[in-house]
């Protein structure tokens, strides 16, 4: 039997384990990336593991999230990352150089290689035929030190693309269609592999829009073949020598297959508050809107920006609409300026922001109360925009631009003939904002600068023989890491200050949670399905750990979050019978007799509920390695013990 693209890359990077679906496998990692909101922790952990020099082929530290700098905190963290990167052999992408995924695609992505990043949208690199996987900062630190990265051998879902996209329908509509088909849990345990004749009609940046939002499917990664369009993209970037062709074998077998006819697609929108709540834009037509935000790692390429500029040219943004535009990288920004398209955007009344994550992570541009905001981003989770009662819709750049002019939800296909966008054959390359690390002989002379915002990382604790504590929080399905550890302009500056961050933990669900958790003698959280979906932020494990959380019980967990829980010694437990969820109440006093022993090797543990004398069976779905990490009280202790 032949191999899929995913299997080919895995086979070339397999360090241990068998390529059997559902088994834990270890991968050699060629490249890593971090961004500043997760990077400080990742590098503190790299230092804690006493790794002097990274062992990857390439590691890059980007500054793109915390660029608002409303106090000293972010600037301090940036300097820390800059100096620690210089010392340890990591390239440093300065603020102003762009969003990590966009810049990585342009300047560093290589077909057939592996990349892990401390950001859930690392699969963007799949647009160039790379296996990009989002991970917690600690896992990225381990990979930088030359350690393997562990995943469950994924299922491979093939999506056949046929036909070509009609005018005004774009890559964003393709991935929204996939989200409509599969839902936010539909990719769990899988990598999505795109194929078929329709692939040839999509450029690398368009493919990257699609692989980017594979994160919203819960998929481990998404990947496109590497073909003549990949070569053209690399050539335009002056990186032709990085090209390798990559196709599946003709007899490769897939675990599931779907076909999407691109020519039948219509403009789509993900409605509040989930990326899979997808409707046709035509069914929303006429709804009054207040804000439009264009950019983010999903839709900020040159072709996206040129399309928006062409639609806005000679028009004025509607008086009731505030339009922000954040180009994805310095390269995109420069080229927009060089060809005059930037002037068209400014003239139309767009508020041009720097090339960074910006409004996507709630760094400014929160909508008005009950505001309707159209965004070309990838997540519309409750309160992520910074306005809890706002309605955020995820749309294509075409829909966003058309609606910004009219002031109401507008189907762009109603605009008539689409403007023809010409993408230059070679791009403006200038890597002057990428700082190279000090050479090995001078690394010792570099002083790592630490500001007062950097507080010690809470330490995981080895599990006690018995666990007895309160069930301090009961939440429902699809809880995101934005619920657990919100971000945004007020909170993000404290990403390296866990005590301060803890004041905001779970406040989206229950403002009393931090106080109650602190007052309790440790606690358990109960969640529903897909607990911890969304961002890779390990703070969603670190902060509950600081607040005394010892275990999380759920119906199912999201991949990156469960790995983060284990890395910090919080035990993930699955309800064997989903109906037992109803039997457990917030405030219950619960215990697990033989807790440590169960982690040591049992498949089942029993939760006893207070006086009610109920016994609830819980599954410990863990590999031997994960059990050892939990017994050690987390990954840092585990690596130390292993020497
Ligand atoms: C996000 O889109 O939620 C983020 C901010 O990029 C996160 C990382 C973080 O929380 O710092 C992600 O996607 O992993
Ligand atoms: Fe940045 Fe938004 Fe992309 Fe996250 S999803 S990396 S916040 S642009």
């Amino acid at each position: 039997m032949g191999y899929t693209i995913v299997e080919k890359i895995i086979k070339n990077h397999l360090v241990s384990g068998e390529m059997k679906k559902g088994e834990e496998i270890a991968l050699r990692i060629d490249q890593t990336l971090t961004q500043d909101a997760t990077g400080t922790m990742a590098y503190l952990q790299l230092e804690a593991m006493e790794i002097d020099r990274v062992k990857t082929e390439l590691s890059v530290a980007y500054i793109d999230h915390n660029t608002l700098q409303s106090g000293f905190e972010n600037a301090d963290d940036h300097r820390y990352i800059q100096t620690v990167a210089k010392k340890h052999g990591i390239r440093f992408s300065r603020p102003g150089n762009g969003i990590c995924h966009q810049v990585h695609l342009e300047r560093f992505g290589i077909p057939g290689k592996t990349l892990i990043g401390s950001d859930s949208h690392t699969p963007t690199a799949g647009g160039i035929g790379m296996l990009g996987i989002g991970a917690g900062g600690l896992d990225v630190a381990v990979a930088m030190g030359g350690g393997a990265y562990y995943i469950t051998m994924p299922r491979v879902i093939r999506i056949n693309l046929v036909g070509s996209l009609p005018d005004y329908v774009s890559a964003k509509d393709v991935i929204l269609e996939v989200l409509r088909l599969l839902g936010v849990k539909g990719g769990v345990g899988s990598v999505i592999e795109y194929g078929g004749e329709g692939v040839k009609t999509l450029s690398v940046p368009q493919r990257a829009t699609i692989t980017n939002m594979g994160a919203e499917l819960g998929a481990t990664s998404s990947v496109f073949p590497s073909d003549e369009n990949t070569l053209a993209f690399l050539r335009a970037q002056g990186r032709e020598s990085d090209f390798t062709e990559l196709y599946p074998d003709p007899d490769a077998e897939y675990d599931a297959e779907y076909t999407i006819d691109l020519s039948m697609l219509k403009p789509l929108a993900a409605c509040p508050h989930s990326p899979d709540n997808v409707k046709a834009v035509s069914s929303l037509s006429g709804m009054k809107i207040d804000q439009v935000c264009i950019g983010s790692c999903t839709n900020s390429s040159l072709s996206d920006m040129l399309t928006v500029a062409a639609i806005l040219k000679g028009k004025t943004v509607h008086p009731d609409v505030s339009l922000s535009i954040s180009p994805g990288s310095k390269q995109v920004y420069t080229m927009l300026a060089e060809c005059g398209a930037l002037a068209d955007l400014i003239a139309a009344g767009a508020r041009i922001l720097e090339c960074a994550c910006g409004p996507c992570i709630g760094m400014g541009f929160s909508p008005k109360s009950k505001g309707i905001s159209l965004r070309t981003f990838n997540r519309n989770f409750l309160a992520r925009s910074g306005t809890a009662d706002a309605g955020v819709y995820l749309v294509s750049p075409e829909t966003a631009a058309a609606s910004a002019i009219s002031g109401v939800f507008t189907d762009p296909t109603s605009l008539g003939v689409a403007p023809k966008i010409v993408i230059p054959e070679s791009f403006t390359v200038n890597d002057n904002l990428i700082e190279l690390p000090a050479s090995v002989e001078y690394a010792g002379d570099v002083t790592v600068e630490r500001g007062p915002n950097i507080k010690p990382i809470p330490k995981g604790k080895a599990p006690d023989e018995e666990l007895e504590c309160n069930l301090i929080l009961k939440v429902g399905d699809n809880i995101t890491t934005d619920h657990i550890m919100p971000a945004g302009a007020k909170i993000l500056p404290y990403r390296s200050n866990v005590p301060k961050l803890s004041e905001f933990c779970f406040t989206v669900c229950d403002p009393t949670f931090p106080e109650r958790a602190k007052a309790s003698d440790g606690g358990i959280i109960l969640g529903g399905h897909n607990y911890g979906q969304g961002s890779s932020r390990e703070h969603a494990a670190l902060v509950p750990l600081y607040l005394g959380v010892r275990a999380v019980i759920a119906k199912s967990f999201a991949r990156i979050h469960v790995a983060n829980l284990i890395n910090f010694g919080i035990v993930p437990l699955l309800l064997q019978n989903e109906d037992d969820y109803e039997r457990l109440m917030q405030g219950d006093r619960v215990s697990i007799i033989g807790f440590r022993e169960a982690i040591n090797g049992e498949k089942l543990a029993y939760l006893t509920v207070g006086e009610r004398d109920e016994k609830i069976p819980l599954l410990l779905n863990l590999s031997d390695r994960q059990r050892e990490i939990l017994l050690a009280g987390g990954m840092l202790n585990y690596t130390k013990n292993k020497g």
Side-chain angles (χ1 to χ4, degrees):
M1 192 188 78
Y3 290 108
T4 62
I5 295 174
V6 180
E7 288 162 351
K8 285 185 180 181
I9 303 180
I10 290 181
K11 192 165 163 278
N12 282 339
H13 292 85
L14 194 67
V15 175
S16 67
E18 266 185 78
M19 287 176 59
K20 271 202 215 138
K21 311 231 146 119
E23 299 273 304
E24 191 174 71
I25 54 166
L27 296 179
R28 179 168 47 78
I29 298 303
D30 301 319
Q31 300 188 351
T32 64
L33 69 79
T34 58
Q35 39 91 338
D36 49 331
T38 53
T40 312
M41 280 297 165
Y43 296 116
L44 286 170
Q45 291 163 154
L46 185 87
E47 290 184 299
M49 287 186 287
E50 294 170 14
I51 295 163
D52 290 341
R53 204 71 191 168
V54 296
K55 301 198 171 60
T56 44
E57 290 173 10
L58 174 99
S59 287
V60 191
Y62 292 91
I63 304 291
D64 53 2
H65 282 61
N66 281 331
T67 54
L68 212 52
Q69 295 168 231
S70 48
F72 63 90
E73 292 87 356
N74 291 154
D76 280 6
D77 285 4
H78 295 172
R79 183 68 79 207
Y80 165 70
I81 294 175
Q82 182 173 19
T83 49
V84 86
K86 191 165 202 147
K87 197 176 183 73
H88 294 272
I90 300 148
R91 291 184 202 208
F92 178 72
S93 172
R94 289 165 55 182
N97 200 40
I99 305 175
C100 55
H101 308 303
Q102 176 68 25
V103 178
H104 209 86
L105 193 73
E106 292 167 356
R107 306 303 309 139
F108 300 115
I110 300 180
K113 298 257 178 195
T114 52
L115 163 76
I116 67 167
S118 61
D119 192 283
S120 63
H121 290 103
T122 306
T124 311
I128 206 165
M130 192 172 196
L131 186 63
I133 309 180
L138 184 45
D139 284 327
V140 176
V142 169
M144 284 191 274
Y149 178 58
Y150 291 79
I151 54 165
T152 307
M153 178 67 201
R155 300 165 72 239
V156 188
I157 299 177
R158 158 109 171 184
I159 300 196
N160 281 313
L161 301 176
V162 298
S164 60
L165 289 167
D167 276 0
Y168 288 115
V169 179
S170 67
K172 181 61 155 282
D173 300 306
V174 179
I175 186 62
L176 289 174
E177 172 65 6
V178 180
L179 274 152
R180 193 185 67 75
L181 277 171
L182 301 183
V184 289
K185 302 197 294 282
V188 173
S190 310
V191 173
I192 318 283
E193 192 169 303
Y194 291 86
E197 284 301 298
V199 164
K200 289 202 187 115
T201 67
L202 300 172
S203 66
V204 165
Q206 286 174 311
R207 296 173 186 182
T209 293
I210 296 172
T211 54
N212 172 281
M213 272 189 93
E216 277 55 66
L217 296 162
T220 305
S221 190
S222 300
V223 67
F224 270 84
S226 172
D227 58 8
E228 61 272 28
N229 293 4
T230 321
L231 176 61
F233 179 80
L234 284 167
R235 193 180 285 135
Q237 293 288 346
R239 300 203 288 123
E240 203 174 333
S241 58
D242 285 337
F243 177 70
T244 352
E245 200 176 70
L246 196 55
Y247 288 105
D249 289 331
D251 54 345
E253 278 180 20
Y254 293 88
D255 295 283
E257 286 196 45
Y258 299 86
T259 295
I260 294 178
D261 184 348
L262 299 175
S263 60
M264 300 301 285
L265 286 180
K266 303 261 181 290
L268 297 170
C271 304
H273 299 284
S274 182
D276 62 355
N277 187 13
V278 175
K279 296 202 173 111
V281 170
S282 57
S283 72
L284 303 160
S285 275
M287 183 198 293
K288 208 162 161 20
I289 66 166
D290 304 290
Q291 185 190 60
V292 175
C293 299
I294 298 176
S296 92
C297 56
T298 317
N299 277 123
S300 59
S301 66
L302 182 68
S303 64
D304 284 337
M305 293 292 149
L306 290 177
T307 305
V308 169
I311 296 174
L312 291 181
K313 191 176 166 81
K315 310 267 178 12
T316 301
V317 173
H318 190 277
D320 294 341
V321 174
S322 176
L323 166 67
S324 79
I325 296 186
S326 347
S329 66
K330 178 166 77 81
Q331 182 182 71
V332 171
Y333 221 146
T334 308
M335 291 177 75
L336 280 177
E338 283 167 350
C339 74
L342 185 59
D344 297 333
L345 297 172
I346 297 169
R351 299 168 63 186
I352 315 289
L353 307 181
E354 65 177 318
C355 46
C357 300
C360 179
I361 190 58
M363 287 308 237
F365 266 80
S366 297
K368 74 173 187 104
S369 300
K370 298 199 172 66
I372 297 298
S373 178
L374 268 57
R375 300 177 160 211
T376 65
F377 307 165
N378 47 39
R379 290 186 172 144
N380 57 349
F381 302 148
L382 182 71
R384 182 174 161 103
S385 66
T387 305
D389 59 7
V392 175
Y393 293 76
L394 307 175
V395 297
S396 68
E398 290 80 355
T399 301
S403 306
I405 301 166
S406 64
V408 292
F409 237 113
T410 302
D411 182 338
T413 58
S414 65
L415 296 184
V417 181
K420 282 276 156 283
I421 303 304
V422 184
I423 303 294
E425 274 179 20
S426 74
F427 285 17
T428 306
V429 173
N430 178 357
D431 289 333
N432 62 337
L433 290 195
I434 294 173
E435 253 179 46
L436 294 178
S439 60
V440 179
E441 48 179 330
Y442 292 111
D445 300 341
V446 180
T447 309
V448 176
E449 290 181 40
R450 282 164 234 274
N453 189 42
I454 300 182
K455 298 280 185 277
I457 311 169
K459 290 220 163 47
K461 225 177 109 207
D464 297 327
E465 291 304 328
E466 323 291 342
L467 178 70
E468 189 186 348
C469 59
N470 295 327
L471 205 154
I472 44 176
L473 188 71
K474 180 174 177 175
V475 286
D477 287 345
N478 293 322
I479 286 296
T480 71
T481 48
D482 276 277
H483 290 99
I484 307 172
M485 199 51 255
K490 291 194 198 97
I491 308 177
L492 265 182
Y494 302 108
R495 277 291 179 89
S496 45
N497 181 346
V498 169
K500 178 73 186 169
L501 269 188
S502 72
E503 294 168 19
F504 305 96
C505 184
F506 266 119
T507 47
V508 177
C509 303
D510 175 357
T512 68
F513 178 78
E515 279 313 307
R516 289 193 300 102
K518 258 196 209 149
S520 178
D521 56 342
I524 292 188
I525 292 170
L526 174 66
H529 274 298
N530 203 19
Y531 180 85
Q533 70 158 330
S535 144
S536 66
R537 61 192 72 151
E538 55 194 347
H539 305 78
L542 263 174
V543 175
L545 170 73
Y546 173 80
L547 289 172
V549 173
R550 311 304 312 277
V552 179
I553 302 173
K555 294 181 187 169
S556 61
F557 288 96
R559 182 187 66 85
I560 307 178
H561 186 59
V562 80
N564 287 339
L565 289 175
I566 295 168
N567 279 350
F568 293 103
I570 298 180
V571 183
L573 298 158
L574 287 166
L575 286 169
Q576 190 182 34
N577 309 317
E578 287 182 11
D579 296 348
D580 284 339
Y581 175 86
E582 302 302 336
R583 292 164 67 196
L584 289 166
M585 302 297 154
Q586 185 165 313
D588 280 346
R589 187 78 185 161
V590 292
S591 57
I592 299 178
I593 311 288
F595 184 52
R596 195 180 160 83
E597 211 178 290
I599 299 168
N600 201 10
E602 306 292 327
K603 292 249 166 354
L604 270 183
Y606 290 91
L607 186 81
T608 315
V609 188
E611 287 93 62
R612 299 212 297 276
D613 197 27
E614 282 179 288
K615 274 211 156 84
I616 293 184
L618 300 171
L619 289 171
L620 289 114
N621 212 349
L622 302 164
S623 69
D624 291 345
R625 186 189 65 93
Q626 291 171 322
R627 287 175 192 271
E628 280 179 41
I629 295 173
L630 286 170
L631 290 171
M635 177 71 113
L636 282 179
N637 297 338
Y638 170 81
T639 8
K640 243 182 235 147
N641 297 349
K642 287 221 147 189

